[in-house]
Amino acid sequence: MSSNSFPDPSTVRYDGPWTHRDVHANGIRFHVVEADATVRADAPLVLLLHGFADFWWSWRHQLTGIADHGYRTVAVDLRGYGDTDKPPRGYDGWTLAGDIAGLIRALGHTEATLVGHADGGLVCWATAVLHPRLVRSIALVSSPHPAALKSAVLRDSAQRSAWLPQFLRYQLPRYPENLLTRRGGAEVERLLRERVGESWSRTAEFTETASRMRTAIRIPGAAHSALEYQRWAFRSQWRPDGKRFMATMRDPIDIPVLGLRGANDQYLLASTIERDQELSPRRALVTIPDAGHYAHQENPGKVNEVLTAYWHEQNGANDAPKDDLVSP
């Protein structure tokens, strides 16, 4: 494929020990990927939500690793990404939370555990606050509470320097779309390399991951949709709906929350992840060694171990076959 061609959305449907499906929810079609592992009919649902300029492939290790512990595990191309529909609107916190609530129901469940990375983690937070009856627990990879992130950017110069310049650059018209897609999506690889640990950036898996992310961001509409998440987060600060959203997000959530952060993450700092504990009083924080901003890809074995052990501790043996669970 030449760097000037536009990939078909179906190019993200990579083969593996999983099944690709189309699911309609909240008025659009979602591409979801479900692990093929055999689980019992009442297995708890785990939804995996990727971050900025990414797609479902980010969760390949969790799809299989978590499913092997008895969970029904499903990775999602979020609204506007991958092979999911790319409508012109709906990239606000209210609608994105409604997407996940609709997906839980469309998959035949009354509740789910949500796992999100970066922007996907923010969708987890929003869904937990806005649709509390549908969310059993959430786990976040390098994704602080939205109020904590805002506070850190305003008050912490180190976090502001790491996060704000790129965020402001994305508010410009047209230029960011061109930035993300030109030269075969090279900017996405640059961002990935800048934010992961040095050791993983030298691996063959990094090269493969960067190549697939570069393809996914060049799917028509994907770059614009990805940027609309960032633009709504900025513009809404001065709008009534945004102010109401942030006020609502400050309601504490009384469910188990697990925050994960790579030890070498220089993009979202430990002090930011640790802020505003009162908004999620049942939150536990774990540092993942040998990982940067993409801990779930850089050290997937450790991330899977921590996730399944935490859920086992919180929920007991009712969630999955005891022999298959990692001990806390």
Side-chain angles (χ1 to χ4, degrees):
M1 181 183 299
S2 73
S3 61
N4 294 323
S5 63
F6 295 103
D8 187 87
S10 65
T11 57
V12 302
R13 296 192 176 225
Y14 297 109
D15 292 335
W18 44 65
T19 299
H20 297 271
R21 298 175 55 193
D22 293 310
V23 177
H24 287 81
N26 207 24
I28 67 170
R29 178 192 57 83
F30 288 88
H31 169 228
V32 306
V33 186
E34 182 169 352
D36 288 340
T38 301
V39 295
R40 66 180 194 249
D42 62 344
L45 175 65
V46 176
L47 282 182
L48 305 169
L49 313 180
H50 63 80
F52 174 75
D54 211 337
F55 68 116
W56 74 268
W57 172 255
S58 179
W59 297 109
R60 60 199 175 280
H61 298 295
Q62 287 68 46
L63 257 181
T64 54
I66 293 173
D68 287 344
H69 287 263
Y71 297 91
R72 184 185 181 192
T73 312
V74 179
V76 181
D77 277 341
L78 293 173
R79 173 182 291 252
Y81 281 101
D83 199 11
T84 287
D85 284 348
K86 298 165 182 62
R89 289 175 292 278
Y91 301 94
D92 58 279
W94 307 97
T95 304
L96 295 170
D99 287 349
I100 304 309
L103 273 172
I104 294 170
R105 296 188 184 99
L107 290 167
H109 289 254
T110 58
E111 64 176 8
T113 288
L114 308 180
V115 184
H117 171 239
D119 284 4
L122 297 179
V123 178
C124 292
W125 285 112
T127 310
V129 172
L130 298 174
H131 304 275
R133 295 182 180 179
L134 294 174
V135 182
R136 185 173 193 172
S137 67
I138 61 174
L140 305 313
V141 180
S142 293
S143 187
H145 190 284
L149 178 59
K150 181 177 180 179
S151 175
V153 170
L154 291 174
R155 295 177 172 84
D156 184 334
S157 60
Q159 183 61 84
R160 184 163 56 250
S161 297
W163 186 86
L164 191 59
Q166 196 74 49
F167 179 71
L168 292 177
R169 192 174 297 121
Y170 290 154
Q171 307 309 315
L172 299 171
R174 294 187 297 278
Y175 166 77
E177 281 87 345
N178 182 53
L179 176 67
L180 290 176
T181 57
R182 70 188 181 191
R183 296 172 50 228
E187 173 67 5
V188 172
E189 180 172 347
R190 186 194 71 80
L191 292 173
L192 181 67
R193 186 179 300 277
E194 181 180 84
R195 294 171 184 176
V196 301
E198 184 178 355
S199 59
W200 193 65
S201 70
R202 297 194 296 265
T203 65
E205 185 182 35
F206 172 87
T207 302
E208 179 186 33
T209 300
S211 175
R212 294 190 173 191
M213 288 178 67
R214 290 175 67 159
T215 296
I217 200 63
R218 288 166 42 239
I219 291 171
H224 176 72
S225 298
L227 291 161
E228 286 297 281
Y229 285 72
Q230 309 279 315
R231 288 165 175 159
W232 180 83
F234 179 75
R235 297 168 184 166
S236 67
Q237 300 300 311
W238 293 274
R239 296 174 178 170
D241 68 318
K243 293 179 179 180
R244 185 163 59 94
F245 176 78
M246 188 57 72
T248 302
M249 289 302 298
R250 292 185 183 277
D251 292 339
I253 56 173
D254 186 27
I255 59 172
V257 175
L258 178 62
L260 307 177
R261 177 185 174 274
N264 303 318
D265 189 349
Q266 300 301 311
Y267 182 62
L268 282 166
L269 308 182
S271 57
T272 302
I273 301 292
E274 294 163 2
R275 281 178 179 263
D276 292 340
Q277 178 75 29
E278 71 278 4
L279 297 178
S280 53
R282 297 172 63 185
R283 182 176 61 174
L285 300 176
V286 177
T287 299
I288 304 298
D290 304 317
H293 186 59
Y294 291 77
H296 57 305
Q297 299 195 71
E298 299 174 67
N299 194 346
K302 185 62 177 178
V303 168
N304 291 356
E305 176 187 338
V306 169
L307 287 172
T308 53
Y310 179 76
W311 295 333
H312 183 43
E313 180 181 5
Q314 292 295 321
N315 304 314
N318 292 330
D319 262 6
K322 185 175 182 181
D323 291 342
D324 289 342
L325 285 167
V326 177
S327 299

